[in-house]
Amino acid sequence: MHNKQSFLLGGGEIGARMRAHDWAATSLGPPETWPQSLKSAISTCINSPVLGAVLWGPELRMFYNDAYIPAMAERHPHALGRPVAEVWGESWDTVAQPFWQLMDTGEGFIHNKVELPMTRHGQREITYWGITASPIRGEDGSVVGLYNQGFEITSRIIAERERDVAETQLRLVNVKLAEEVTARTEERNLMWDTAPDLMLILDFKGIFRRVNPAWTQVLGYSADELVDHHINEFVMPEDHAETVAAYESAEYGQHPRVINRYRHKDGSLRWISWAAAPAGKLTYATGRDITQDKLRETELESTQEQLRQSLKMEAVGQLTGGLAHDFNNLLTAITASLDLISRRIEQNRHDDVGRFISAAKEASSRAASLTHRLLAFSRKQTLAPQSVDPDQLIEGMLELICRTVGPLITVEHVGDPTRWAALVDPSQLENVLLNLCINARDAMPDGGRILIETHNVVCDSEQAVERDMPPGEYVRLRVSDTGSGMSPEVAARAFDPFFTTKPIGMGTGLGLSMIYGFAKQSGGQAQLTSIMGQGTQVAICLPRHVEKTRTEQPLAEALAPPVGEVSEVSETILIIDDEPTVRILVAVALQELGYITLEAETALAGLVVLQSDQPIGLLLTDVSLPGGMNGRELAEAARVTRPHLPVLFMTGYAAHALFEDANAETAMAVLTKPFPIATLVSNIRELLQSSPADADWMEPLPA
């Protein structure tokens, strides 16, 4: 079959008929021209073991699977591709309303015990069904069809009615049995002996006192194997507690209903639905074997889960495609800039080299920003938390925020003079604040108001459970807008990864999930409330810093010497990274500043150098290294013989928990990739200046 029609593979009889059908002669056209959403739905449907149909387009044209054929009767195979109203006639009129409503609203439904008059094989009958329907959406998000599944429960409904009659009769008999208290009357009861359902008499301790012959037919046990035994000897352990609760409630006059699982004598599993009633000091109960219904429900749930996974993978595909597009654009800018720089050097033309260098730097910075957003979403970014004055940070960003949201939107900041300092990564908090304001702007295309507030929050143990965060003291940063707001359904999914209400190509669905990931990784929480037509409010709670907020040192450029200036230093730095380009560039930059450098590609190779008598002033290592030992483990091994060795970790992907003790006291620091050379040098100088004079002293190894 042509690859474009591969979605029609399998499917049994229906699959074969669809492949052989001349679709080009219909209004749908050849299958290879059908929308991807129709192809995916049909592929799932025809290969499903559960009765199902795809109802496509404004006329709801039918595509169904082999499991549907018995229900179609004489309508098969002529129904294939025809409007559902033509196929089912008055039967469709009975159930059509929720299907059309689903086409309008996009909200799926599950209906149980649907009564459906139906003519099959010329015989009119009343049938009962369990029906579920889900929307099929096109590329623009609109509902273009329905995925309908169900199973016929006519026999079960009839059996339940028969059981209710039998239960009523049993209660009457039970009253009579309780009055007469004779086994002779019970044995003469024809219903007891011939009923297909399980019947039992149980005392209030759970001991079988009598069972009917159906136990042998349904579960394989004789009366002698059951009587005087506890009921839980035959019930699955997971259902023991519910079974005990049922017969204990009967002792207090209740009429319990319970569904539990029994072991058949052959080892298989049976689901039994029970109805019980007390009489005197005994419980009388009747049970129906519903194993087949449970199996059908399980199959239905499995098929729905497969469909959900298929839709999720489609969303992941859209996300990765967008990211690949963005990265290719950025790599093109970097590659082109480097190519032009190389040409200008060959031509001995240096007048516009600076412009190309700036372009490459800008593209690199944007690529790093995109990577950090992904890491924040996955809660894998490396954070550098410190004491931050949130109001000071907000005031420093107000001008940028106002320019970003435009003149139609008013931005207000209301600070709290008594608020605490927060323990947070300031650069990541700036990104979060800017993203929240951009989201607010998008919700107010005609203008509006953004309010940024800060407050102190104390979370006790009870509130901690409600808010899913540790108890303690927090600083809350809240951003409110007067925009269009969200429906309760959208607000409930706002923090979900890949979820977005924007059109394809206009958003990845990572924004709010990134903010949620950042808040959780920082030790706090993010919460969202929204009202349709009134606006949205996002609050981020960040842990309080117990020390007074201090003014942060300017960026590393203030600490580093001007590029090209060689310091009078002689420290030896061991560089370990499995990426040769990173090692070479870092080594060259440090050598130009007067440092002596050694290089290693793996942790084991670096450990050989560290265990030699080579003087080493500082270890500069990547965290993720090949060979079974990571950078943190390498540092711990190195400090066995060099206890005061300063260590600077480089990482672009690591959990912050690895570096909770990285500070001046431990002579360790963390540097997030990518980084400017000036920032690298600044971190190296700080570590070398804070380390003891005997930093490269080596303890002798044990003999």
Side-chain angles (χ1 to χ4, degrees):
M1 174 179 291
H2 194 279
N3 286 338
K4 294 183 178 179
Q5 295 188 23
S6 59
F7 69 95
L8 293 177
L9 291 175
E13 176 188 342
I14 289 296
R17 288 185 178 276
M18 290 196 67
R19 292 191 292 272
H21 194 78
D22 184 11
W23 295 106
T26 70
S27 60
L28 292 170
E32 56 267 27
T33 66
W34 293 356
Q36 183 59 46
S37 52
L38 175 57
K39 294 178 182 179
S40 298
I42 288 178
S43 178
T44 299
C45 176
I46 66 176
N47 288 287
S48 171
V50 178
L51 181 151
V54 173
L55 306 182
W56 180 257
E59 296 179 314
L60 297 183
R61 292 183 175 272
M62 288 191 68
F63 301 88
Y64 50 93
N65 57 19
D66 283 3
Y68 206 138
I69 292 175
M72 297 292 292
E74 66 272 17
R75 296 172 179 83
H76 172 75
H78 306 293
L80 193 61
R82 293 176 56 201
V84 66
E86 293 181 16
V87 174
W88 285 107
E90 66 173 349
S91 296
W92 168 251
D93 295 338
T94 304
V95 298
Q97 192 273 334
F99 288 87
W100 291 120
Q101 183 176 353
L102 171 53
M103 288 292 290
D104 291 335
T105 65
E107 296 179 357
F109 65 85
I110 297 177
H111 289 170
N112 295 315
K113 298 184 180 179
V114 177
E115 181 177 313
L116 184 61
M118 184 180 297
T119 300
R120 291 188 289 198
H121 302 296
Q123 180 69 37
R124 183 173 178 80
E125 56 182 311
I126 299 298
T127 63
Y128 297 87
W129 296 80
I131 298 175
T132 177
S134 305
I136 301 173
R137 298 186 181 273
E139 293 182 358
D140 60 354
S142 64
V143 179
V144 294
L146 309 175
Y147 188 68
N148 170 221
Q149 289 182 289
F151 53 91
E152 185 172 358
I153 57 173
T154 304
S155 59
R156 191 186 80 184
I157 295 299
I158 294 173
E160 285 179 352
R161 291 176 178 176
E162 292 175 349
R163 185 183 65 181
D164 290 341
V165 172
E167 289 174 358
T168 301
Q169 295 174 347
L170 179 61
R171 291 192 196 97
L172 296 175
V173 171
N174 288 340
V175 172
K176 185 177 181 180
L177 291 175
E179 293 173 349
E180 297 180 2
V181 197
T182 63
R184 183 180 181 86
T185 303
E186 296 172 354
E187 293 170 353
R188 285 202 300 256
N189 191 290
L190 181 62
M191 184 188 68
W192 178 271
D193 292 333
T194 61
D197 291 335
L198 301 178
M199 295 183 182
L200 62 79
I201 299 175
L202 199 72
D203 66 21
F204 293 142
K205 294 182 179 180
I207 304 299
F208 285 112
R209 292 308 178 197
R210 191 160 183 247
V211 297
N212 71 334
W215 281 82
T216 304
Q217 299 172 3
V218 176
L219 291 172
Y221 299 104
S222 67
D224 292 340
E225 293 174 302
L226 295 165
V227 174
D228 293 333
H229 288 265
H230 194 281
I231 189 171
N232 276 349
E233 293 180 34
F234 307 91
V235 175
M236 295 297 292
E238 296 83 357
D239 297 340
H240 282 181
E242 192 172 5
T243 303
V244 172
Y247 68 69
E248 286 183 346
S249 69
E251 183 178 4
Y252 296 99
Q254 298 183 20
H255 293 67
R257 288 180 175 267
V258 65
I259 296 176
N260 52 15
R261 293 166 295 174
Y262 284 73
R263 296 187 193 89
H264 191 283
K265 192 172 182 179
D266 64 11
S268 60
L269 193 67
R270 296 289 190 275
W271 288 84
I272 309 296
S273 176
W274 291 97
K281 296 183 178 181
L282 299 172
T283 298
Y284 295 79
T286 179
R288 170 63 55 86
D289 184 355
I290 59 170
T291 305
Q292 292 303 315
D293 290 342
K294 282 292 184 180
L295 292 176
R296 282 193 291 267
E297 290 176 11
T298 301
E299 290 176 354
L300 180 60
E301 292 172 359
S302 175
T303 302
Q304 291 175 334
E305 179 61 23
Q306 291 175 10
L307 181 60
R308 284 193 291 269
Q309 289 297 325
S310 175
L311 296 175
K312 182 184 293 186
M313 291 308 299
E314 183 178 349
V316 173
Q318 292 175 354
L319 170 69
T320 54
L323 294 176
H325 174 269
D326 291 346
F327 268 115
N328 281 335
N329 285 341
L330 296 171
L331 290 173
T332 299
I334 295 170
T335 303
S337 297
L338 294 175
D339 187 36
L340 288 171
I341 292 170
S342 177
R343 292 185 182 183
R344 291 296 187 272
I345 292 174
E346 291 175 358
Q347 298 167 356
N348 200 24
R349 294 170 53 195
H350 304 138
D351 51 338
D352 55 356
V353 167
R355 179 161 59 95
F356 301 138
I357 293 175
S358 297
K361 285 184 175 181
E362 180 183 354
S364 300
S365 176
R366 289 170 58 198
S369 176
L370 182 59
T371 303
H372 288 159
R373 289 186 66 194
L374 286 170
L375 292 175
F377 149 68
S378 64
R379 305 185 204 174
K380 297 290 186 179
Q381 62 180 339
T382 302
L383 300 179
Q386 59 191 59
S387 180
V388 173
D389 182 334
D391 286 326
Q392 182 179 340
L393 182 144
I394 295 168
E395 286 294 330
M397 292 188 64
L398 278 180
E399 183 179 354
L400 171 62
I401 293 172
C402 290
R403 289 201 310 268
T404 302
V405 301
L408 296 179
I409 296 176
T410 302
V411 181
E412 297 181 20
H413 170 216
V414 178
D416 182 351
T418 65
R419 56 97 195 95
W420 302 314
L423 181 63
V424 66
D425 186 317
S427 62
Q428 295 298 330
L429 182 58
E430 289 174 348
N431 288 335
V432 165
L433 179 59
L434 185 59
N435 273 320
L436 287 176
C437 292
I438 291 173
N439 283 348
R441 177 201 65 188
D442 293 344
M444 300 183 291
D446 299 324
R449 173 173 173 263
I450 296 176
L451 176 62
I452 308 173
E453 305 169 274
T454 56
H455 302 281
N456 293 337
V457 174
V458 178
C459 184
D460 59 28
S461 56
E462 183 176 346
Q463 293 170 327
V465 174
E466 295 176 356
R467 300 176 183 178
D468 188 23
M469 57 193 291
E473 298 177 330
Y474 296 86
V475 178
R476 182 175 63 195
L477 187 153
R478 186 165 58 194
V479 178
S480 309
D481 66 60
T482 58
S484 56
M486 306 177 188
S487 67
E489 295 77 16
V490 172
R493 298 187 59 193
F495 288 135
D496 288 357
F498 314 130
F499 177 75
T500 177
T501 57
K502 297 179 180 178
I504 295 175
M506 299 296 291
T508 62
L510 282 177
L512 286 175
S513 64
M514 176 202 74
I515 292 169
Y516 180 81
F518 163 75
K520 294 292 286 185
Q521 188 179 357
S522 298
Q525 180 62 285
Q527 296 173 316
L528 180 145
T529 55
S530 186
I531 301 176
M532 286 289 290
Q534 297 186 27
T536 300
Q537 188 177 89
V538 179
I540 301 174
C541 290
L542 300 168
R544 177 189 180 183
H545 192 272
V546 295
E547 298 177 357
K548 182 179 178 181
T549 305
R550 62 182 177 86
T551 303
E552 297 298 328
Q553 193 76 2
L555 202 58
E557 283 78 355
L559 294 173
V563 176
E565 177 182 331
V566 179
S567 306
E568 293 183 1
V569 295
S570 60
E571 289 90 347
T572 298
I573 299 176
L574 175 58
I575 305 169
I576 304 178
D577 199 302
D578 60 333
E579 176 56 51
T581 305
V582 173
R583 292 200 311 273
I584 293 171
L585 293 176
V586 169
V588 170
L590 294 179
Q591 290 166 8
E592 289 182 353
L593 293 172
Y595 294 100
I596 300 171
T597 63
L598 301 174
E599 299 177 33
E601 182 177 359
T602 67
L604 294 179
L607 190 59
V608 172
V609 178
L610 289 164
Q611 291 179 345
S612 69
D613 57 1
Q614 172 75 42
I616 297 174
L618 181 139
L619 171 61
L620 175 61
T621 179
D622 191 11
V623 175
S624 300
L625 294 172
M629 177 183 288
N630 63 37
R632 182 57 194 258
E633 293 167 340
L634 171 64
E636 293 173 352
R639 285 195 167 181
V640 172
T641 54
R642 300 176 186 265
H644 305 295
L645 178 67
V647 181
L648 178 56
F649 297 104
M650 301 179 292
T651 180
Y653 183 82
H656 178 61
L658 284 173
F659 310 107
E660 288 180 349
D661 58 348
N663 51 47
E665 288 74 18
T666 61
M668 290 184 180
V670 184
L671 189 59
T672 303
K673 292 179 179 178
F675 49 79
I677 294 299
T679 304
L680 169 67
V681 174
S682 167
N683 278 265
I684 290 176
R685 286 189 164 191
E686 288 184 359
L687 285 172
L688 289 174
Q689 290 171 3
S690 63
S691 63
D694 60 347
D696 60 1
W697 174 77
M698 179 175 176
E699 290 185 349
L701 292 171

